[in-house]
């Protein structure tokens, strides 16, 4: 079934490319990009292209686990009649799997009404339907009704349900409980790996200086480290904001930028990067992935603890359909949200569709996770995909954003595939975007890749000025087919520092809202411009994975 799906995807992309080439007269023979040859010589340290060859679940595993079945939701009282509230039964089955130490909870074909959040809070638990075309969870309520009003920790009358939370929510049980308690007490929380006040961590050891791309670091004290342990690399900024400058690629432009008044951006640091330890040899510690940044003494580098992670859990083979309501005005979403992974590492979602949602699939302080064969459909969404709050090393592949089924109400916005909040080394691969854009919500995301994507570029980016730059260094757009010829957020050589735009058809500036944040030479690269599907390798992520 999976291979058939990929074949259809490949054929669709190829047909689109041929149509674009015929329309623009720009098709040409396949050509190996010079930037690719450069990258192969220095994959971990290339100045414009990030190394993402280990993005996703278990370093980019092509197969997901199928743990033994330990429960079926119908044994706990779920009834596929479309009218009985089955959320309590489904959650009881999931909790039973957690108590059993993990396993698969099955949902048979049919429509199951849910009047509450479905929560996966224990590691190793997989919730599996019979397929996205056969099993439907029909959600009747939103997160405001179920949990409460969720204001923004940055003030104003915004609803944080506009960018947080899901009606299917994968998060460690204790972390989810603490978030919900804080929301109900109106103590608007931070959402990441170190708790509601970012104080739930302890130092394991300090780290000696190292360079971006290194996989082995020297620590002061390895006593608390062991292979398989998940740790946070924590980097604080200094008064001159040299860490933020480094994330932006360094040089005169970032040095001249006014970082001090970007209060939302500066609230995101210290930078926290989750990574597993793979080897400890004396004081030399090898990590699962190469360092995403330099490690310098002025940033007080250390490995720390964090809230317990959710790991090895998954969601597969179902549709989540929300009761159809009009899309809310911008930033006032009520929370008819789809699937969110939060404080999750090595988790996955496969063959899942969400319909009529405010926000589709979310990665919130989630890392090393894979979303595969996912689809956003129905009346239209604010954020079809959102990736924020320091989410790193994730893979979204074979994804579809369908054209909305009803016109957009006045005062709403459409973003597309969003990344923000210092999130890095995430990949969107083999996508079919019939609406939306490559959205950055500011917050200096860096080193992210979009590759082999067809997009009707009709969305716009978000983010307020206090969140800082749209892009950090090493954003790469590789083999992108823009069906409506709009340049904004697609061709980024004049916008993103130390970036690469490779293999994109001719595009024109119109309806632009994106402007450069940094003056001077951006040290960006543009190659094979005006082509459609001519670049080789066709898919940058797959080519990087093959180099391992």
């Amino acid at each position: 079934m999976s291979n058939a799906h990929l074949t259809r995807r490949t054929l669709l992309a190829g047909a689109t490319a041929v149509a674009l080439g015929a329309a623009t007269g720009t098709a040409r023979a396949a050509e190996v990009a010079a930037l690719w040859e450069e990258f192969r010589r220095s994959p971990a340290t290339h100045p414009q292209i990030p190394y993402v060859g280990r993005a996703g679940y278990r370093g980019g595993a092509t197969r997901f686990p199928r743990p033994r079945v330990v429960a079926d939701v119908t044994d706990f009282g779920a009834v596929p009649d479309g009218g009985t509230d089955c959320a309590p039964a489904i959650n009881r089955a999931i909790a039973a799997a957690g108590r059993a130490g993990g396993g698969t909870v099955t949902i048979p074909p049919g429509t199951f009404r849910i009047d509450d959040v479905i929560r996966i809070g224990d590691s190793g638990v997989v919730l599996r339907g019979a397929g996205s075309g056969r099993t439907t969870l029909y959600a009747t309520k939103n997160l405001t009704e179920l949990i409460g009003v969720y204001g923004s920790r940055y003030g104003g009358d915004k609803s944080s349900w506009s960018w947080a939370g899901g009606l299917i929510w994968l998060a460690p049980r204790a972390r989810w409980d603490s978030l919900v308690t804080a929301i109900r007490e109106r103590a608007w929380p931070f959402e990441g790996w170190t708790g509601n006040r970012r104080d739930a961590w302890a130092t394991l050891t300090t780290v000696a200086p190292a360079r971006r791309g290194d996989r082995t670091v020297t620590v002061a004290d390895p006593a608390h480290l062991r292979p398989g342990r998940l740790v946070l690399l924590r980097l604080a900024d200094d008064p001159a904001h040299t860490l933020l400058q480094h994330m932006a690629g360094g040089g005169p432009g970032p040095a001249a930028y006014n970082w001090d008044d970007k209060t939302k951006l500066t609230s995101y640091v210290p930078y926290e990067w989750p990574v597993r330890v793979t080897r400890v040899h004396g004081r030399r510690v090898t990590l699962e992935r190469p360092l995403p940044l330099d490690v310098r003494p002025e940033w007080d580098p250390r490995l720390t603890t964090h809230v317990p992670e959710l790991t090895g859990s998954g969601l597969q083979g179902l549709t989540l359909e929300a009761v159809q309501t009009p899309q809310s005005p911008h930033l006032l979403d009520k929370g008819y949200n789809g699937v969110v992974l939060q404080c999750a590492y090595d988790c996955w979602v496969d063959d899942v569709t969400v319909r009529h949602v405010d926000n589709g699939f979310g990665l919130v302080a989630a890392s090393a996770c894979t979303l595969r064969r996912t689809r956003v459909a129905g009346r239209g969404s604010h954020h079809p995909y959102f990736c924020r709050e320091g989410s790193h090393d994730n893979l979204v592949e074979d994804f579809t954003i369908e054209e909305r089924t009803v016109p957009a109400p006045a005062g709403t916005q459409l973003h597309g595939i969003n990344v923000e909040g210092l999130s890095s080394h995430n990949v969107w691969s083999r996508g079919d975007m019939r609406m939306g854009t490559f959205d950055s919500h500011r917050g200096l995301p860096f080193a992210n890749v979009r590759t082999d994507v067809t997009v009707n570029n009709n969305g716009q980016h978000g983010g307020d000025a206090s969140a800082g730059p749209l892009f950090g260094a090493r954003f790469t757009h590789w083999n992108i087919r823009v069906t409506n010829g709009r340049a904004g957020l697609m061709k980024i050589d004049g916008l993103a520092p130390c970036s690469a735009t490779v293999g994109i058809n001719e595009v024109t500036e119109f309806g632009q809202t994106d402007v450069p944040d940094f003056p001077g030479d951006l040290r960006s690269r543009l190659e094979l411009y005006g082509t459609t599907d001519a670049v080789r390798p066709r898919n940058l992520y797959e080519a990087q994975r093959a180099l391992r």
Side-chain angles (χ1 to χ4, degrees):
M1 180 175 180
S2 176
N3 288 338
H5 178 89
L6 296 183
T7 300
R8 288 194 299 271
R9 172 78 62 202
T10 302
L11 290 172
L12 172 63
T16 303
V18 170
L20 279 169
T24 62
T26 56
R28 68 164 96 164
E31 186 172 341
V32 176
L35 268 167
W36 172 248
E37 297 297 343
E38 290 180 16
F39 176 84
R40 291 182 61 181
R41 292 193 289 271
S42 58
T45 58
H46 193 275
Q48 281 88 20
I49 299 175
Y51 176 72
V52 293
R54 297 188 64 85
Y57 169 81
R58 292 190 179 272
T62 57
R63 294 186 178 183
F64 300 126
R66 294 182 68 87
R68 66 188 181 93
V69 175
V70 297
D72 186 279
V73 298
T74 57
D75 294 334
F76 289 77
V79 181
D81 61 4
T84 302
D85 176 17
C86 297
I90 295 172
N91 283 325
R92 285 195 299 269
I94 293 170
R99 290 192 298 271
T104 297
V105 175
T106 56
I107 313 177
T111 297
F112 297 80
R113 172 175 165 167
I114 57 170
D115 295 348
D116 200 356
V117 178
I118 302 303
R119 306 181 301 277
I120 300 177
D122 294 298
S123 292
V125 173
V126 175
L127 181 62
R128 190 175 77 221
S132 60
R134 302 182 67 201
T135 297
T136 296
L137 303 185
Y138 180 66
T140 64
K141 296 185 179 181
N142 58 59
L143 293 168
T144 302
E145 295 173 277
L146 296 172
I147 296 174
V149 171
Y150 187 4
S152 169
R153 66 179 185 254
Y154 300 105
D157 60 354
K158 302 171 184 175
S159 166
S160 284
W161 299 129
S162 301
W163 57 77
L167 292 168
I168 302 178
W169 203 327
L170 289 78
R173 183 182 303 278
R175 188 71 183 103
W176 191 86
D177 289 344
S178 71
L179 286 165
V180 170
T181 298
I183 292 166
R184 287 175 173 163
E185 292 176 351
R186 294 180 173 255
W188 314 132
F190 284 91
E191 301 158 84
W193 286 100
T194 49
N196 294 345
R197 294 185 297 275
R198 298 197 76 180
D199 58 0
W201 62 276
T203 298
L204 296 169
T205 182
T206 56
V207 184
R211 300 299 300 271
R212 175 173 70 91
D214 290 347
R215 282 191 61 188
T216 299
V217 297
T218 300
V219 302
D221 180 8
H224 299 291
L225 304 178
R226 66 181 186 278
R229 179 166 188 174
L230 186 69
V231 298
L232 289 186
L233 173 67
R234 187 179 192 271
L235 300 177
D237 205 3
D238 60 8
H241 299 299
T242 60
L243 175 61
L244 295 177
Q245 292 179 43
H246 178 55
M247 292 176 180
Y257 187 78
N258 182 11
W259 302 96
D260 287 321
D261 65 349
K262 308 304 187 293
T263 53
K264 188 171 183 179
L265 172 62
T266 54
S267 77
Y268 296 147
V269 288
Y271 174 80
E272 295 169 342
W273 180 61
V275 65
R276 287 200 194 280
V277 173
T278 60
R279 186 171 186 263
V280 180
H281 183 69
R283 294 171 52 221
R284 300 281 286 168
V285 177
T286 302
L287 306 174
E288 185 177 23
R289 290 175 171 84
L291 290 176
L293 296 165
D294 289 352
V295 172
R296 301 179 187 174
E298 56 265 36
W299 302 332
D300 189 24
R302 55 189 63 216
L303 301 180
T304 76
T305 63
H306 50 83
V307 299
E309 69 271 17
L310 183 74
T311 189
S313 295
L315 178 71
Q316 185 175 33
L318 58 83
T319 289
L320 172 66
E321 180 173 336
V323 59
Q324 187 168 349
T325 60
Q327 187 177 344
S328 297
H330 189 228
L331 300 178
L332 297 177
D333 295 354
K334 294 180 174 65
Y336 289 106
N337 294 348
V339 179
V340 162
L341 289 77
Q342 186 161 5
C343 296
Y345 194 96
D346 276 338
C347 293
W348 50 274
V349 176
D350 178 43
D351 183 26
V352 173
T353 295
V354 296
R355 183 173 288 115
H356 303 322
V357 293
D358 293 337
N359 300 281
F361 293 89
L363 296 159
V364 181
S367 292
C369 295
T370 294
L371 308 182
R372 183 177 296 160
R373 298 192 300 167
T374 55
R375 180 179 295 264
V376 181
R379 52 92 154 147
S381 303
H382 180 191
H383 298 100
Y385 291 83
F386 56 101
C387 177
R388 51 180 295 273
E389 205 75 14
S391 290
H392 312 291
D393 305 303
N394 297 294
L395 171 64
V396 182
E397 64 180 356
D398 297 309
F399 67 96
T400 300
I401 302 174
E402 292 188 1
E403 189 173 356
R404 66 187 312 135
T405 55
V406 296
T412 64
Q413 285 196 20
L414 165 66
H415 296 305
I417 53 174
N418 153 264
V419 61
E420 60 181 284
L422 304 184
S423 296
S424 66
H425 296 83
N426 301 289
V427 178
W428 291 262
S429 169
R430 294 198 304 263
D432 179 11
M433 296 176 57
R434 301 167 198 173
M435 63 178 188
T437 194
F438 291 175
D439 171 39
S440 164
H441 257 41
R442 302 191 176 276
L444 197 65
F446 66 95
N448 297 287
V449 169
R450 288 88 171 228
T451 182
D452 198 6
V453 179
T454 301
V455 54
N456 177 30
N457 184 28
N458 62 358
Q460 65 184 57
H461 76 76
D464 57 53
S466 67
L470 283 169
F471 299 100
R474 295 180 298 284
F475 258 80
T476 299
H477 291 174
W478 188 284
N479 191 20
I480 306 300
R481 301 169 289 273
V482 186
T483 60
N484 63 343
R486 180 172 177 253
L489 299 162
M490 303 286 128
K491 182 177 178 290
I492 56 174
D493 58 297
L495 186 64
C498 303
S499 64
T501 305
V502 181
I504 181 173
N505 55 283
E506 291 186 11
V507 289
T508 304
E509 292 192 6
F510 60 91
Q512 304 299 103
T513 61
D514 49 325
V515 296
D517 290 291
F518 303 110
D521 181 7
L522 294 178
R523 294 172 291 162
S524 61
R525 302 279 292 275
L526 177 67
E527 188 175 350
L528 293 177
Y529 176 58
T531 68
T532 52
D533 257 347
V535 62
R536 293 294 180 271
R538 174 191 176 95
N539 186 294
L540 180 63
Y541 167 72
E542 292 173 358
Q544 287 198 22
R545 185 167 60 186
L547 287 179
R548 298 189 318 192

